[in-house]
Amino acid sequence: MTVLAQPGPAEVEASVEQLVYVREDEYTVARMSAEGLPGFVASGRALAGAQPGETLRLVGEWDDHPRHGSRLMVGKCERVVPSTVRAIALYLGSGLIRGIGPRLAHAIVSHFGERTLTVIDTEPERLTEVINIGAVRQAQIVEAWAEQKAVAELMVTLQGFGISPLLASKIYHVFGNDSPGVLASDPYRLIGQVRGIAFHTADRIALRSGVPEHSPQRIKAAVLDRLEVASARDGHCFLPLPALVAAAAALVEQEDDLVRQAVDALTAERRVVVEAAPADPGRTVVYAKEQHSREAALTANLDRLWRARSTLPLRAFAEDESLHEDQRIAVNLALTSTVSVLTGGPGCGKSHTVKVIAQTVRAMGGTVTLTAPTGKAAKRLSELTGLPAMTVHRMLAQQPDQEEGTLFQRSPAAADLVVVDEASMLDLQLATRLTAAIPAGGHLLLVGDGDQLPSIGPGNVLADLLRVREIPRVRLTHVFRQAQDSGIVRAAHRIRAGELPALPGRGGFWFEELDDPDQVAERVVHLATEAIPRKQNIGADQVQVLCPMRRGATGTAELGRRLQERLNPAREGVAEHWSGPAVFRVGDRVMPIRNNYDKGVFNGETATVTAVSPPDRLVEIRTDDGEVAQYTFDELDELTHAYAISVHRSQGSEYPFVVAPIVAEAGGVMLRRGLLYTLVTRARSWVVLVGRREALELAVHRVGHRRNTGLAHRLAVSLGG
């Protein structure tokens, strides 16, 4: 098909050479090639899911773009089997078929010509005729070919439902060859198992497949979805029954009675737990089964530790004269209580107190394990105390080993004292696993700042423990002279008290006022990539951009894209891979957003992309702790870029310089005191806020909502009984 790029309607069959840009709304820009037509650019949302190497039949209109020149605005896109030798070679060598790179693709196409794809499809045993293809590689190619065909068929199916084809490979990665059956029989199974598929997407598939609007299957899925959203978005462990019924009924536009019947059915199936509200027997609440089980297990674990007789070899110790009075109380409490909490704001000496506690226990002949929820927090704890520290995940992973003829080795969790720093980051799941691993008689000291944001995951463990009077605790309030000179510390304490910091600031804290969100975004990027590095004579990697929101001109997605293009742009001849609206390149700063015990990486760690291999369909990363992990292209939704990150994901970390936008886009719903306080305290030398004074005032004065949790009540009843 030969078409000249003249203004007006056109139909073109072309191969995708390279993705240029993919927006969050799936608007895609790609460089294309076609026989008889010079290389051109195609763009439009219809291109969503296109991958380099594919051949597409495009229907649209030509126009002239000031940057790209002749451009095809695509209104309709259909995937077709490549038919020319060049298109087949591009398809096979693009990485779409795992195990085939450009050289091998050239060899295969040189041998079989235009019949190449027919041979792979109908006579795959003939692949061994090509040099460097033995039985093992031939089997790998056949398997990858079958997978690619299945994904392509899924794309067509999803487009028929009006669903983004970008989800096809994610669905196949989870359900494999069962994917068509899941879509046909129970699309609600996709929710929670396939990242990017929420209730609305699964519901659209179900309704178009003939599932009745009032189906019990549909309404039960809505109930579970509202519980999951409340947990993932707001950190709740339960919802009041009336609120859950109203939310689910609104979601499916059905009567409340049908939703209540669905709750009863889920209760009978033991997928939810309905009980009296904590501390308010007159109200009824609903838990997802796993949240209820974890909350009950954490209560039992803490009760066991609290009631146990200490095994710490306690004896008289010399008091450290450098300690303030409240620090001495904290040391004594940690040595005499099997469960205790140490809190305090910046500059109050929490880390020094922990150091003295750990040294004292060691001097008594006891053992100490220092931990924190993230690698950066553990590294910072080690630097501040001068003692080794590890992440909670790594501590839990180091189970006792048994070698032939030897006794079990001692687990780090079995130390006489386990200290968990940045304990506000502990969610319900991690706290439950942590407390289960500590033997009775060992001491657990939780250290944190109760005014910081709660954990990303559901629950509010530290705050709940501080509400239980039986749990011993000390709050450090004395700000030491050295910290008093820090503008960051001064600003943080004013924010915590609900007062606006002195503006524009000095000595480590600075506020720069700008109104327009686009101007704010550009100023943040300039400060992070040029102004601060130049003035401070540092690398841009010493500056971290933190964002209160994900969306909008000043959200993590858009700012992260701008920063990546400034710091690590596309380079000719260097491999890259687009996964949805994110492009991965060697040198990118990334962050795992899920715990992956098989890979040895955990939520919140930071890492650098060290390799992108389209033939192997792999991205390799190296964490700041030196761990190397590989992600297949289908697993890349477990990584996020770390050029601009949310304040929540910055918890436990400290950066030399922090730059952050403070604007009230979308009503500024995320601007709250705890978020601003956490943001400011992430900086070690300077924090620069850019935005509107009104938004800053809003953040200072707005207090966040309390999460729905039952831990404090359960624990108070258990320990008081």
Side-chain angles (χ1 to χ4, degrees), residues 49 100 123 200 524 601 621 623-624 683 710:
I100 301 181
E123 303 175 88
H200 286 294
V524 166
V601 296
I621 68 169
T623 70
D624 291 348

Side-chain angles (χ1 to χ4, degrees), residues 524-541:
V524 166
V525 171
H526 176 73
L527 285 168
T529 61
E530 297 181 40
I532 292 177
R534 183 174 62 247
K535 184 172 182 179
Q536 300 294 331
N537 194 27
I538 59 171
D541 60 345

Side-chain angles (χ1 to χ4, degrees), residues 484-488 490-491 502-511 685-686:
Q484 290 175 357
D485 295 332
S486 166
I488 294 172
R490 288 195 303 271
L503 300 180
R506 64 183 179 86
F509 174 86
W510 189 259
F511 176 72
S685 297
W686 274 92

Side-chain angles (χ1 to χ4, degrees), residues 332-410:
N332 182 66
L333 200 65
L335 297 176
T336 56
S337 303
T338 50
V339 178
S340 59
V341 180
L342 172 62
T343 68
C348 292
K350 293 192 301 294
S351 297
H352 182 65
T353 305
V354 169
K355 179 179 180 179
V356 172
I357 292 170
Q359 290 176 336
T360 302
V361 171
R362 289 183 171 187
M364 293 176 176
T367 55
V368 179
T369 298
L370 301 184
T371 71
T374 66
K376 279 199 169 184
K379 183 178 180 181
R380 182 176 172 225
L381 177 63
S382 180
E383 291 171 347
L384 291 172
T385 62
L387 301 169
M390 68 179 72
T391 65
V392 175
H393 298 289
R394 298 200 189 284
M395 180 189 74
L396 296 174
Q398 293 184 26
Q399 299 301 320
D401 296 323
Q402 187 178 34
E403 298 178 1
E404 189 175 348
T406 66
L407 297 175
F408 275 97
Q409 299 285 325
R410 189 177 177 89

